[in-house]
Amino acid sequence: MILKGKSVIIYIVVIMLLLCGCTANRELDEQSIVGTVCFSYEDGFIVTAEVLTEDATENKLVTKTHSAKGKTPEKAVMNLSNNMPKRAMFDHCAAIVLSDKMSKEKQIEALRYCVKNPTINLGTPVVYCSEPQSLLKCKSENIAVGYDIIIQLKVLSLERQSRLYKTAQNLRGIEHFENKNGELTHIDKKS
């Protein structure tokens, strides 16, 4: 009877330890939420992330940009994360921006990295820009330019065709955006 009681207590303690989730827990204050991620290529991949962070003095969300370079998209993102004060979290990334100056092979390589990254949503829209980092300097209606991109795509009924899972293999359905005098502007390349 005593042995049975001890085993029940041990069982309960083990279950409680397993349920606490301390090892796999991701605290928001220990991570940077990436709103937009941009890929370009110049003697290596350049990744630039628009990150949402808290301004402690004003107690509000603001955006900051961070960039890094690497031989592959994986190394560039790893270098980006290593250079940031907090770990990059791509779970809420609203848009992936590719330089239209990159070769098609490099564009596909960047998108394949995004597909393999388990924290990037496969429904994230992919767009082109001649200068991806310039988009992050646009006046944003929302907290991050990526969210402005997704809203414009919805308004233009172009959101579904530009999703990561549809564009990663053949680069079809990717719309163009540019920074025109500080404004995010959709460029119709078909006309």
Side-chain angles (χ1 to χ4, degrees), residues 20-136:
C20 78
C22 296
T23 58
N25 198 11
R26 298 187 308 165
E27 297 295 329
L28 283 177
D29 62 345
E30 297 171 359
Q31 299 183 50
S32 295
I33 299 171
V34 176
T36 314
V37 64
C38 304
F39 290 94
S40 56
Y41 192 88
E42 189 177 305
D43 297 325
F45 283 93
I46 301 165
V47 63
T48 304
E50 181 181 37
V51 176
L52 306 168
T53 188
E54 182 183 14
D55 182 344
T57 58
E58 295 186 31
N59 202 22
K60 68 176 187 174
L61 280 178
V62 295
T63 58
K64 293 186 177 182
T65 58
H66 299 276
S67 290
K69 192 172 187 177
K71 282 190 170 241
T72 64
E74 295 88 348
K75 289 187 179 176
V77 171
M78 183 178 74
N79 292 338
L80 175 79
S81 290
N82 290 339
N83 293 335
M84 292 172 53
K86 299 176 184 178
R87 196 172 102 224
M89 182 174 83
F90 292 91
D91 300 65
H92 300 285
C93 183
I96 299 165
V97 182
L98 298 176
S99 169
D100 61 5
K101 295 176 183 174
M102 286 195 304
S103 70
K104 299 295 181 195
E105 293 80 21
K106 297 298 181 190
Q107 291 173 2
I108 288 173
E109 190 176 346
L111 292 180
R112 283 192 182 145
Y113 163 75
C114 293
V115 167
K116 288 183 207 171
N117 184 327
T119 63
I120 296 178
N121 187 323
L122 292 175
T124 304
V126 178
V127 298
Y128 283 131
C129 182
S130 59
E131 299 291 331
Q133 294 79 1
S134 73
L135 281 188
L136 304 181

Side-chain angles (χ1 to χ4, degrees), residues 176-188:
H176 286 75
F177 284 84
E178 297 292 337
N179 178 343
K180 297 284 185 188
N181 301 320
E183 297 290 327
L184 178 68
T185 306
H186 176 255
I187 307 296
D188 188 4

